[in-house]
Amino acid sequence: MEPRDAIRVVIADDQAMVRAGLRMVLESEADMRVVGEAGDGVDAVAVARRTAPDIVLMDIQMPRMDGLAATTELLSRPSPPKVIVLTTFDSDDNLYAALRAGVSGFLLKVSPPEQLVDGVRVVAAGEALLDPAVTTRVIASFAGRRDPVPPPRLGLLTPRELEVLGLLARGHSNAEIARTLFVGEATVKTHVARVLMKLHLRDRAQAVVFAYEAGVVRPGASG
C-alpha cells in the first residue's frame, strides 16, 4: 500500500536501463512511489496526465517530443506537476531553455542515489533544485549579451528584497542568504515569498532567469 503522503513520481527517459535504475533508487524509499514511466515526450505527457504525479523526472533528449516540449505542455495545464530535468550538461542552451520553460530543478544522470532522493524531496517540498554547477552554466550563457532593460515590476521590490533576489540568483540557499544578511531563515523565506509574488514568478528557478534577464545580477559579478 502507498502511504497517503508518498511523493508520486513519473520517470521519462528513452533509455530503459536508466528508468530501471531510477525506479530502483526511488522505490527503496518509504516516502516515494514511481507511478509511471515514459520512453518519449508524448508518452511522458500522457502518463503524467493519467497518473497525476507530484514530480516528473524528465530527460531532454527523447524521440517524438523532446523533454523541453513535453515540459512546456505539462506546465501549461492547471495544477501541473513539478519537473526535474535529468541532464548530462551537454548543452548550455538546454539548461537555460529548461529554466525558461519553468522546470523546478536539475539532476545529473550520474548523481549518486542519495542526491537523487534528496533532490526529489527538495522539489516536492516546494523549493527549487539549483545545483551551483547549473547556476554557473546559466550565468555563463548570459556572457556577451546586450545590457538588459529592467522591467517595470522590478520597482515593486524593496532594497532588501532586491538583495535577496540577487543572492538567490547566485544559487544561495535560504540558510546562506540568512547568514549573509544577518537575519533568520524565517525572514528570508518571507522575503523570497514576497519577491515571487510581486514579480509573478512560480518558484526560485524562474527567479534566477528573471534576475539575470533584468540585470539584477550580471555574469562575472561577485557575490
Side-chain angles (χ1 to χ4, degrees):
M1 293 293 293
E2 176 180 315
R4 289 186 178 181
D5 59 349
I7 302 170
R8 296 164 55 81
V9 182
V10 164
I11 302 169
D13 193 288
D14 62 344
Q15 298 181 49
M17 289 187 66
V18 171
R19 296 198 306 271
L22 292 171
R23 176 184 279 274
M24 182 175 65
V25 170
L26 295 175
E27 293 203 327
S28 68
E29 301 296 316
D31 62 339
M32 297 183 187
R33 291 293 180 270
V34 175
V35 296
E37 294 184 18
D40 61 56
V42 174
D43 283 347
V45 172
V47 171
R49 287 178 183 168
R50 186 174 68 249
T51 60
D54 302 301
I55 304 286
V56 176
L57 295 178
M58 184 80 74
D59 188 21
I60 292 293
Q61 304 296 336
M62 292 189 294
R64 294 211 291 168
M65 178 190 287
D66 67 26
L68 290 177
T71 294
T72 301
E73 175 71 17
L74 284 175
L75 297 183
S76 69
R77 295 181 170 271
S79 302
K82 294 179 172 65
V83 177
I84 300 175
V85 165
L86 300 170
T87 180
T88 57
F89 280 163
D90 59 348
S91 171
D92 295 345
D93 289 340
N94 279 344
L95 296 178
Y96 178 64
L99 277 174
R100 289 295 307 270
V103 304
S104 294
F106 301 88
L107 279 171
L108 281 172
K109 286 190 175 183
V110 295
S111 297
E114 59 271 18
Q115 190 171 340
L116 168 65
V117 169
D118 288 345
V120 169
R121 289 192 180 115
V122 165
V123 171
E127 297 289 339
L129 182 65
L130 294 176
D131 185 279
V134 175
T135 306
T136 299
R137 293 280 185 128
V138 174
I139 292 170
S141 75
F142 284 86
R145 297 190 181 193
R146 294 181 179 181
D147 288 340
V149 178
R153 67 181 186 272
L154 192 62
L156 297 173
L157 301 186
T158 66
R160 177 46 60 93
E161 288 166 353
L162 278 172
E163 283 185 282
V164 170
L165 177 59
L167 292 168
L168 183 158
R170 295 184 182 98
H172 294 309
S173 66
N174 284 353
E176 291 167 336
I177 295 173
R179 287 195 295 270
T180 299
L181 299 180
F182 302 101
V183 297
E185 282 191 59
T187 299
V188 173
K189 289 181 180 179
T190 299
H191 285 315
V192 171
R194 287 176 178 168
V195 167
L196 297 180
M197 178 188 67
K198 288 182 178 181
L199 299 180
H200 307 294
L201 302 173
R202 180 171 49 245
D203 56 28
R204 296 168 77 101
Q206 285 194 337
V208 170
V209 173
F210 178 91
Y212 281 95
E213 290 185 335
V216 175
V217 285
R218 297 171 182 267
S222 61

